[in-house]
Structure formats: C-alpha cells, structure tokens
Amino acid sequence: EDRIRGVRIDAAGLFAGLEPTAPTGWIDPLVARITPAGIGPITRAALERVVLAHEPGDRRADPRRLWRQLVAILLGSPEFQHQ
C-alpha cells in the first residue's frame, strides 16, 4: 500500500496543523515543508487541479488519497528534483 522499501514519510509531522476538512489550505504549508525554495506556476496549477477535483462531500473521497497525490506531485516536481 503506497510503500517503497527504505522510504519513510512522517505523515503526522508532514500534515501537523493542517485542517483535515479544508484541503485548499494544504498547498502552501506542504510546499513550504517539501519544497522550501518554492514552486513554479505549472506545479501550483497541478496541485490546485487535484485539490479542486477532491469533493469532501463525496463518500468516495478519501483525504489520505488526496494527500498522497499532493505529496507525489511535489516529490515529482522539477523544483523538488533540483533541490
């Protein structure tokens, strides 16, 4: 389940202080924690697109899936790769 041998992510620390029911507020804190040098407009647009597609009222919407998607976008972003 979303595991890569030898890789550990402290999800509790990564998402500390973020409101679980307000994912639109997750982007800037996650960017600061994962890519402190910032991100470009293409990466930001990708993050916003994923968050806007997430509908909290939908019982199929899983916040854990959303945060995995956001972290994956940031880890795969050119900005993170060039750190």
Side-chain angles (χ1 to χ4, degrees):
E1 175 190 359
D2 297 317
R3 296 187 189 269
I4 299 174
R5 186 176 305 177
V7 175
R8 303 263 187 260
I9 295 177
D10 175 14
L14 191 58
F15 286 88
L18 301 184
E19 176 58 46
T21 59
T24 54
W26 295 359
I27 293 175
D28 289 332
L30 287 176
V31 167
R33 294 170 187 176
I34 296 174
T35 54
I39 58 171
I42 294 172
T43 301
R44 179 166 295 280
L47 293 167
E48 290 172 351
R49 212 172 17 254
V50 168
V51 168
L52 291 175
H54 178 79
E55 297 181 32
D58 184 349
R59 61 186 167 101
R60 295 170 297 169
D62 181 356
R64 293 171 297 179
R65 181 170 180 249
L66 176 60
W67 81 256
R68 285 185 204 121
Q69 290 175 315
L70 296 176
V71 170
I73 290 169
L74 287 169
L75 293 178
S77 72
E79 298 86 0
F80 179 82
Q81 298 297 317
H82 290 121
Q83 289 189 83

